Amino acid sequence: MVVLAALEEDEHLLLQVKGTNRYVQFMDQGGYGMRAETVSDYYLPEGEHLGEEDYRYLMKLGWHAPTIVPGTSDEGADGSPNYHLDLARPLPLEDMAVMAVLTLIHVHRASHPGELEYEARSSGGMSIRFPHLIIRRRVAVGR
């Protein structure tokens, strides 16, 4: 929750299950609020698609279903090819943190914080450190 509050306009935080494409991310949009997303089947390998129970759970948590098909003319429209949620200020930070944790545990099968890593960046690509976050910071090769 503290980490979400620390994000500034055009900064993002990605919480990812190590070695997978499974993640939850947050993008601060300044006065417009914050966008949260979690990966959809468009970005998961064929054998790792979400199941019906996962879809229902995401809807129950309050995620909006993907509204855009990647590579189509819809790509510039509002919405997302991922499960998403746009939140206005004041941000419900505690609810957002709980939603992220429940999604990572129940949908993306992260059973322990040690299975996660994070990446945080500014719009200019500068890496942001969150030393008090108890998960490992992902260091991308070549950055």
Side-chain angles (χ1 to χ4, degrees):
M1 190 168 82
V2 172
V3 174
L4 294 177
L7 288 175
E8 295 179 4
E9 187 170 3
D10 296 329
E11 293 179 342
H12 80 268
L13 170 68
L14 178 118
L15 304 166
Q16 185 169 8
V17 179
K18 291 178 186 175
T20 74
N21 290 350
R22 294 173 176 270
Y23 62 84
V24 173
Q25 68 180 343
F26 299 92
M27 290 127 334
D28 192 292
Q29 298 175 325
Y32 295 104
M34 188 173 288
R35 168 159 285 202
E37 292 187 346
T38 190
V39 69
S40 73
D41 287 342
Y42 291 120
Y43 302 107
L44 292 172
E46 187 74 31
E48 296 180 26
H49 283 186
L50 303 175
E52 286 299 320
E53 189 174 305
D54 297 324
Y55 301 137
R56 283 193 295 277
Y57 193 73
L58 289 167
M59 297 297 106
K60 180 180 172 186
L61 286 176
W63 292 102
H64 297 292
T67 55
I68 297 172
V69 176
T72 66
S73 61
D74 291 343
E75 226 172 309
D78 284 345
S80 176
N82 287 316
Y83 291 89
H84 61 283
L85 189 59
D86 289 308
L87 300 148
R89 296 196 186 278
L91 296 170
L93 296 174
E94 187 172 332
D95 293 341
M96 293 166 62
V98 168
M99 186 178 193
V101 168
L102 292 175
T103 299
L104 289 164
I105 291 170
H106 297 293
V107 175
H108 300 310
R109 313 291 186 258
S111 59
H112 185 275
E115 294 178 357
L116 300 172
E117 59 190 1
Y118 82 92
E119 179 179 305
R121 296 206 170 274
S122 68
S123 62
M126 180 166 301
S127 181
I128 304 167
R129 287 181 159 278
F130 289 111
H132 53 284
L133 195 57
I134 62 168
I135 62 176
R136 184 183 89 137
R137 185 172 138 237
R138 184 172 89 179
V139 179
V141 176
R143 288 191 182 169

